[in-house]
């Protein structure tokens, strides 16, 4: 079997790796350089921010992927020499609302956590600006350095004889046979395969519009800052009122993020920079004297309830979709790619695939 993947973000690249492990030949097309969109721009927290706000089908994928991440990172580092720097640093949630919900969710899903008072949060993170914040400490949550994860995956796939990675190759239309099977056209060239999987993130709706398919996936901009290295300033991820600080292993601290419905506009704004800086310095006042190294924006593939579409596209016998991971594509990716492989190859699925189906009516358009 051969499979054509449209989109070389974390979802497309990990799906390619999954398929190669089962001796399936893979071609990945991306309209630009590989791995330079949302998957590059994200923070790399290996957990949804407030996981109890999501439906159980998100927890199912996230839990599977959290187990898989340490081995995945180790394998890629060993095979490619680029370490994705998976760092199980823990996550400290300050003043979280809904204490009852947290406890219920954690107990039900067997997650380790600890409710701690202001003195204890300060002991965990001495650089915090206040000892008034109580907290919930999640020792098992980590972060991955996503640009490195993408680079290592790219090298891994480039070295594989059964994989073709084709950058600068934008899919502009489909060709359909009378039975509904599709081939794609990119750069005036026709690409066909036994199966075609669209993994085009926030652009998936645009891609499938060519076939008259309308999906509730839309771009949602997020802006981020990174501070120059300041090793040891914080020990783990710190989350407060939706804003977070992520420590990288070299001492850089990544700050996120905004949630903006501004279409496909990826520009950065002074307002967001100021807001992110204010949040960061309120949490950790010492950041006030550390220069910001970079400021960027990315486009999340927003979807109702943040539930990705993983499955076949009804009416098109060889067309599949794996997109719409919204705020959680990095954490969900290993599980999402494995489930897509299960569906493509007729394997027993790692989780029940029904909630991610394109034929499942999404009851409301609430966004998280
Ligand atoms: C600021 C920010 C912070 C985030 N933080 C986190 C986090 O901490 N943890 C977490 O789990 N998730 C986080 N996310 C979400 C996560 O980054 C996304 O859900 C995930 O990267 C989506 O992956 P993807 O492969 O579907 O999309 P993308 O990475 O966007 O990849 C899609 C690819 O498709 C290509 N493409 C598009 N159209 C075409 C076409 N016509 N032809 C060929 N190729 C095409 C694009 O060029 C792109 O490379 C964050 C996102 C942002 C923006």
């Amino acid at each position: 079997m051969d499979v054509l993947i449209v989109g070389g973000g974390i979802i497309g690249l990990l799906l390619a790796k999954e398929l190669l492990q089962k001796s399936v030949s893979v071609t990945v097309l991306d309209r630009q350089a590989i791995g330079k969109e949302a998957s590059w721009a994200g923070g790399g927290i290996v957990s949804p921010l407030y996981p109890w706000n999501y439906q159980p089908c998100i927890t199912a994928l996230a839990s599977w992927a959290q187990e898989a991440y340490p081995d995945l990172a180790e394998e890629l580092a060993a095979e490619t020499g680029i370490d994705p720097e998976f760092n199980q640093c823990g996550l400290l949630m300050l003043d979280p609302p809904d204490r009852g919900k947290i406890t219920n969710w954690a107990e039900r899903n067997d997650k380790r956590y600890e409710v701690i008072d202001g003195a204890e949060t300060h002991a965990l993170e001495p650089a915090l600006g206040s000892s008034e914040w109580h907290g919930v400490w999640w020792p098992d949550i980590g972060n991955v350095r996503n640009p490195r994860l993408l680079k290592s995956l790219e090298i891994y796939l480039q070295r594989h004889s059964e994989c073709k990675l084709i950058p600068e190759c934008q899919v502009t239309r489909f060709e359909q046979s009378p039975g509904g099977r599709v081939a794609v056209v990119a750069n005036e060239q026709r690409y066909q395969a036994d199966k075609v999987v669209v993994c085009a993130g926030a652009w998936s709706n645009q891609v499938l519009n060519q076939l008259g398919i309308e999906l509730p996936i839309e771009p949602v901009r997020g802006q981020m800052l990174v501070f120059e290295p300041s090793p040891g300033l914080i020990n783990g991820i710190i989350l407060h009122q939706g804003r977070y600080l992520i420590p990288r292993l070299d001492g850089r601290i990544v700050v996120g993020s905004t949630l903006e419905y501004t279409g496909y506009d990826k520009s950065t704004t002074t307002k967001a920079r100021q807001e992110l800086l204010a949040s960061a310095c309120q949490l950790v006042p010492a950041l006030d004297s550390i220069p910001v190294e970079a400021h960027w924006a990315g486009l999340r593939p927003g979807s109702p309830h943040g539930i990705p579409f993983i499955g076949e596209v009804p009416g098109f016998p060889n067309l599949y979709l794996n997109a719409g991971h919204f705020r959680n594509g990095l954490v969900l990716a290993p599980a999402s790619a494995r489930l897509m492989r299960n569906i493509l190859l007729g394997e027993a699925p790692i989780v029940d695939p029904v909630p991610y189906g394109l034929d499942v009516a999404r009851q409301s358009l609430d966004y998280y």
Side-chain angles (χ1 to χ4, degrees):
M1 187 198 287
D2 62 343
V3 172
L4 181 71
I5 296 174
V6 180
I10 190 65
I11 302 297
L13 297 180
L14 271 179
L15 175 59
K17 180 172 183 295
E18 284 290 329
L19 291 168
L20 289 166
Q21 281 165 352
K22 290 289 172 182
S23 305
V24 175
S25 304
V26 188
T27 301
V28 182
L29 309 180
D30 201 290
R31 66 189 174 118
Q32 51 175 354
I34 299 293
K36 289 289 180 275
E37 288 292 353
S39 306
W40 182 93
I45 300 174
V46 182
S47 171
L49 289 184
Y50 298 101
W52 49 90
N53 284 336
Y54 289 91
Q55 295 191 7
C57 64
I58 296 289
T59 302
L61 289 179
S63 299
W64 193 95
Q66 283 163 334
E67 290 283 318
Y69 250 108
D71 286 349
L72 172 67
E74 207 178 297
E75 180 196 352
L76 288 170
E79 295 258 344
T80 68
I82 307 269
D83 185 352
E85 295 186 1
F86 174 76
N87 174 16
Q88 196 178 321
C89 54
L91 184 148
L92 177 61
M93 207 172 264
L94 298 173
D95 281 347
D98 304 328
R99 189 80 70 78
K101 264 192 186 177
I102 299 174
T103 319
N104 279 339
W105 179 86
E107 303 293 341
R108 227 182 21 251
N109 292 290
D110 203 19
K111 305 287 181 190
R112 288 204 299 153
Y113 74 104
E114 206 178 324
V115 177
I116 57 181
D117 64 20
E120 289 166 317
T121 60
H122 218 257
L124 267 179
E125 293 290 358
L128 281 178
S130 163
S131 49
E132 297 293 304
W133 289 311
H134 68 265
V136 179
W137 167 238
W138 305 86
D140 296 328
I141 294 178
N143 78 88
V144 65
R145 197 153 173 181
N146 36 307
R148 285 179 181 241
L149 174 63
L150 293 162
K151 189 37 94 182
S152 62
L153 269 169
E154 185 181 356
I155 292 172
Y156 177 97
L157 296 175
Q158 275 166 347
R159 287 183 182 168
H160 209 293
S161 59
E162 289 302 309
C163 181
K164 273 195 219 126
L165 281 185
I166 312 185
E168 316 297 337
C169 191
Q170 177 165 359
V171 172
T172 44
R173 63 189 172 86
F174 291 86
E175 282 182 1
Q176 242 181 293
S177 71
R181 291 178 63 80
V182 297
V184 308
V185 179
N187 291 355
E188 302 307 321
Q189 200 178 324
R190 184 173 187 275
Y191 293 85
Q192 71 176 53
D194 294 324
K195 301 196 173 183
V196 175
V197 189
V198 173
C199 302
W203 294 266
S204 298
N205 192 33
Q206 282 185 350
V207 171
L208 287 179
N209 277 174
Q210 308 294 327
L211 288 167
I213 296 163
E214 191 65 50
L215 292 168
I217 296 181
E218 64 172 320
V220 183
R221 184 168 73 185
Q223 299 190 45
M224 308 276 281
L225 304 176
V226 64
F227 286 93
E228 284 182 2
S230 115
L233 186 56
I234 62 172
N235 301 311
I237 302 162
I238 302 173
L239 172 63
H240 186 223
Q241 295 177 344
R243 292 272 154 82
Y244 49 80
L245 304 178
I246 307 170
R248 299 302 198 209
L249 287 176
D250 62 4
R252 286 184 166 83
I253 294 175
V254 179
V255 184
S257 177
T258 60
L259 204 62
E260 303 166 79
Y261 291 81
T262 47
Y264 288 95
D265 177 6
K266 253 187 3 176
S267 44
T268 55
T269 63
T270 310
K271 178 172 174 280
R273 183 187 175 100
Q274 283 166 350
E275 284 175 10
L276 291 171
L277 264 177
S279 301
C281 295
Q282 184 204 7
L283 283 173
V284 173
L287 286 171
D288 206 18
S289 59
I290 297 172
V292 170
E293 189 179 8
H295 175 197
W296 66 91
L299 299 176
R300 307 175 182 92
S303 58
H305 301 293
I307 301 173
F309 293 93
I310 309 170
E312 52 192 53
V313 179
F316 300 87
N318 70 332
L319 183 62
Y320 297 78
L321 177 66
N322 194 354
H325 300 74
F326 206 172
R327 307 195 74 172
N328 298 310
L330 290 158
V331 51
L332 302 183
S336 185
R338 174 64 61 89
L339 179 61
M340 188 77 256
R341 182 189 99 185
N342 296 154
I343 293 168
L344 290 167
L345 304 188
E347 300 170 337
I350 52 164
V351 298
D352 177 9
V354 169
Y356 320 99
L358 273 80
D359 49 352
V360 174
R362 310 247 164 159
Q363 294 300 328
S364 98
L365 288 178
D366 287 345
Y367 288 93
Y368 291 116

